[in-house]
């Protein structure tokens, strides 16, 4: 996995992940459990977030998969 500059990373919460991807909360957690979606990071006892660049990479991968299927 490639290391990024800390200034390029940003934590995003579940609501924003759902808004970016169009996935429901349960789908996000189901995909995570299946190893098909980036894992969340614990920010505290009852708080998790995702790294925005990892979610964006997942989205790019989905688009690439779609484009390969069409070709």
């Amino acid at each position: 996995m490639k290391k990024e500059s800390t200034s390029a990373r940003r934590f995003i919460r579940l609501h924003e992940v759902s808004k970016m991807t169009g996935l429901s909360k349960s789908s996000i957690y189901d995909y995570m459990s299946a190893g098909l979606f980036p894992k969340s990071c614990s920010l505290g006892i009852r708080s998790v977030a995702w790294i925005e660049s990892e979610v964006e990479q997942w989205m790019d991968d989905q688009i690439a998969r779609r484009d390969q299927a069409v070709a």
Side-chain angles (χ1 to χ4, degrees), residues 12-15 25 29 40-50:
I12 56 175
R13 303 296 301 270
L14 179 61
H15 175 75
K25 174 183 173 180
Y29 281 102
S40 59
C41 300
S42 177
L43 301 180
I45 295 171
R46 296 174 56 181
S47 181
V48 298
W50 285 258

Side-chain angles (χ1 to χ4, degrees), residues 12-36:
I12 56 175
R13 303 296 301 270
L14 179 61
H15 175 75
E16 191 168 353
V17 173
S18 182
K19 190 174 179 179
M20 283 175 66
T21 62
L23 296 173
S24 67
K25 174 183 173 180
S26 59
S27 292
I28 291 167
Y29 281 102
D30 286 346
Y31 287 175
M32 278 177 44
S33 293
L36 302 173

Side-chain angles (χ1 to χ4, degrees), residues 3-11 51-53:
K3 286 241 179 195
E4 295 182 40
S5 157
T6 53
S7 63
R9 285 187 257 174
R10 184 172 87 93
F11 286 120
I51 299 171
E52 184 177 38
S53 61

